[in-house]
Amino acid sequence: MGAALPTLLLILAGVLVGGAWSLYRQGAPKGVVVITALLAVLATVGGVLWLLPGENA
């Protein structure tokens, strides 16, 4: 599986960033924008950490 999962996480992060920006521009409730942005950050951190060398590399 290699780099497939971190790649998918980073793609998901990009989609979530775009979604958060779109929600913000449309005047969505602040809580929804913040939650979407936080999910984007979590997906980004997960994807990057997965790519870092470690014991399983």
Side-chain angles (χ1 to χ4, degrees), residues 11-40:
I11 290 170
L12 175 64
V15 170
L16 288 169
V17 167
W21 180 251
S22 178
L23 288 168
Y24 171 76
R25 297 276 306 224
Q26 294 176 30
K30 191 174 185 179
V32 174
V33 176
V34 168
I35 289 172
T36 307
L38 286 175
L39 289 173

